[in-house]
Amino acid sequence: MTAAREALGPTASAALALGDDALVLSHRLGEWAGHAPVLEEEVALANIALDLLGQARLLLGMVGDEDELAYLREERAFRNLQLVEQPNGDFAHTIARQLCFSAYQQLMYGQLAEGDGPFAPLAAKAVKEVAYHQDHARQWTLRLGDGTEESHGRMQRAVDALWRYTGEMFQPVPGLDIDWQETQTVWTATVTGVLRQATLSVPDGPDTGAWRAGAGRQGLHTEPFGRMLAEMQHLHRSHPGASW
C-alpha cells in the first residue's frame, strides 16, 4: 500500500492530504461526545465533526476505497498536518486548534472554489461549512480570552502550545492551485486579529523559531497520533470484512 501511495499523481496526493486532515480532526472532535462542557457545544462540535467527515469521504473517495484508506493504512501512510492530530486537551485547547485550522481551510477552499480544477465542486460546498466552523471558533476565542482570569489563562496556554504547528499549513502541496504566500499572509492577519481582540498575546512568528516546519505531510507524526489511530482503527481491524 505504501508503494501505491508513492505512485499517486498530484491530484490524488493532494486529495489524500486534505482528506486526512479532515478525517483526523473529525475523529478528534468526535472524542468530545459525552464530554462537552454544555449540551449546545455537544451538538456544535458533533456537527463540525460530521462536516469534516463528509469532506474526508469525498476527498478520500478521489484516491481509492475510503474505508481502506481510513482504517487499514499504517501511521506513516497518513499525510495530515500535525496540528489536527494534537489531543483535545481542555475546551480552550480544542477551540484554539479549531480557530487555526478553520481559518486555513476557509482560505484554501475559497481559492479552490474560484478555479475550475478537480477540487472546485467540493470546495464550493466546503467553504460554506468552514465559514461556520471559523465563526464558532472565533466567538469562543473572544469569550474565553476576554473572559475570566482562568479562561484567559487557559486560552493563552492553548494558543502558545499549538502555534508552533501552524507553520506546516503553508508548505506547498503539489496538486493544489493555491497562492501559499498570500494564504499565509491573510491567515496570519486573520488569526492574530482575533487573538488581539480576545486580549491574548500573539506568539512570535516563524523568523524567531516559534513556528516549526512539521512533517505530517511526509508521514512523520507526533506521539499522540499513534494512540489515536489505534483507537480509530480498532473495530475495523478486529472484524475484517464484516458488514452490518
Side-chain angles (χ1 to χ4, degrees):
M1 187 178 291
T2 300
R5 293 288 85 77
E6 293 174 348
L8 292 175
T11 297
S13 293
L16 189 67
L18 301 186
D20 284 349
D21 286 345
L23 175 67
V24 171
L25 186 54
S26 173
H27 185 83
R28 279 298 190 205
L29 292 173
E31 292 175 343
W32 274 105
H35 302 283
V38 293
L39 182 59
E40 184 178 2
E41 282 310 298
E42 187 90 11
V43 175
L45 293 175
N47 283 335
I48 294 172
L50 288 172
D51 286 344
L52 291 169
L53 185 60
Q55 295 171 21
R57 294 190 64 187
L58 290 173
L59 288 159
L60 295 181
M62 295 173 66
V63 182
D65 181 272
E66 62 187 65
D67 289 333
E68 176 188 335
L69 290 167
Y71 298 123
L72 296 179
R73 275 184 296 160
E74 301 296 332
E75 178 178 330
R76 290 292 297 271
F78 279 79
R79 295 293 181 261
N80 58 277
L81 297 164
Q82 291 183 352
L83 173 66
V84 298
E85 69 194 36
Q86 297 310 303
N88 289 328
D90 60 16
F91 188 64
H93 203 94
T94 291
I95 292 299
R97 184 186 62 198
Q98 194 64 45
L99 176 69
C100 293
F101 183 70
S102 60
Y104 159 78
Q105 268 199 319
Q106 187 170 35
L107 291 169
M108 180 189 61
Y109 281 140
Q111 292 186 51
L112 293 175
E114 292 174 355
D116 57 0
F119 297 102
L122 178 148
K125 178 178 184 294
V127 74
K128 299 174 184 177
E129 298 173 341
V130 174
Y132 162 72
H133 303 174
Q134 183 178 356
D135 184 64
H136 176 266
R138 175 182 176 275
Q139 294 297 332
W140 270 108
T141 300
L142 297 176
R143 185 174 178 180
L144 295 173
D146 197 22
T148 66
E149 181 178 350
E150 175 69 18
S151 70
H152 176 91
R154 285 176 179 262
M155 199 69 216
Q156 187 66 64
R157 288 192 293 273
V159 171
D160 292 343
L162 291 169
W163 196 254
R164 59 177 177 163
Y165 296 107
T166 58
E168 186 184 7
M169 294 189 293
F170 310 109
Q171 296 175 358
V173 177
L176 294 181
D177 186 15
I178 298 290
D179 184 337
W180 295 100
Q181 184 59 53
E182 177 67 12
T183 299
Q184 179 175 332
T185 299
V186 177
W187 180 92
T188 302
T190 300
V191 173
T192 57
V194 174
L195 296 181
R196 291 192 176 104
Q197 189 179 357
T199 70
L200 296 166
S201 299
V202 179
D204 294 330
D207 295 338
T208 64
W211 279 3
R212 106 180 152 183
R217 294 288 191 229
Q218 288 74 51
L220 299 177
H221 299 282
T222 55
E223 183 179 352
F225 181 63
R227 296 192 294 271
M228 190 215 82
L229 192 63
E231 178 183 281
M232 187 178 79
Q233 296 182 337
H234 173 72
L235 183 62
H236 188 92
R237 288 177 177 265
S238 297
H239 304 280
S243 60
W244 296 100

